[in-house]
Amino acid sequence: SGQWEKTITGDDAQKDWTLSAYPSFDIDNQTPADTQVTCTITVDGKQVSHQEATGDNANVYCSVYDKQRQLTRRRKRTHPRLLRLGAFL
């Protein structure tokens, strides 16, 4: 099991981002059938992409594109743009 998270601000937060997550493979040990994998992307605190998968072949793919960011910009913001990527195994 593990967790990875990254917060992005400034110009980098304006870019398109993709995130994929899957369990590491070990030829000597089979991946458990109850393995859970999750990815999440939030923009300014609003979840814009979220995927979950369970199983020995579990993998997930999350992405954020300019169209999704434009939807969050329609609200009045008083804080800087914040993009958070996260993957959980």
Side-chain angles (χ1 to χ4, degrees), residues 50-79:
H50 178 82
Q51 295 291 321
E52 296 181 8
T54 301
D56 56 357
N57 290 316
N59 63 75
V60 291
Y61 178 84
C62 291
S63 60
V64 61
Y65 298 99
D66 191 51
K67 183 177 180 180
Q68 292 165 311
R69 284 192 297 269
Q70 287 174 359
L71 294 175
T72 65
R73 285 187 214 143
R74 291 183 182 154
R75 297 178 304 174
K76 184 177 179 181
R77 283 195 331 251
T78 58
H79 54 85

Side-chain angles (χ1 to χ4, degrees), residues 22-65:
Y22 49 88
S24 61
F25 298 99
D26 181 344
I27 198 151
D28 296 324
N29 297 301
Q30 185 175 356
T31 303
D34 62 349
T35 299
Q36 296 180 350
V37 182
T38 304
C39 68
T40 302
I41 298 178
T42 60
V43 176
D44 290 336
K46 180 179 179 184
Q47 184 174 293
V48 296
S49 185
H50 178 82
Q51 295 291 321
E52 296 181 8
T54 301
D56 56 357
N57 290 316
N59 63 75
V60 291
Y61 178 84
C62 291
S63 60
V64 61
Y65 298 99

Side-chain angles (χ1 to χ4, degrees), residues 2-8 17 19 40 84-89:
Q3 177 176 329
W4 177 86
E5 210 170 65
K6 181 163 182 73
T7 300
I8 301 166
W17 286 90
L19 172 65
T40 302
R84 182 165 287 134
L85 308 172
F88 309 92
L89 304 173

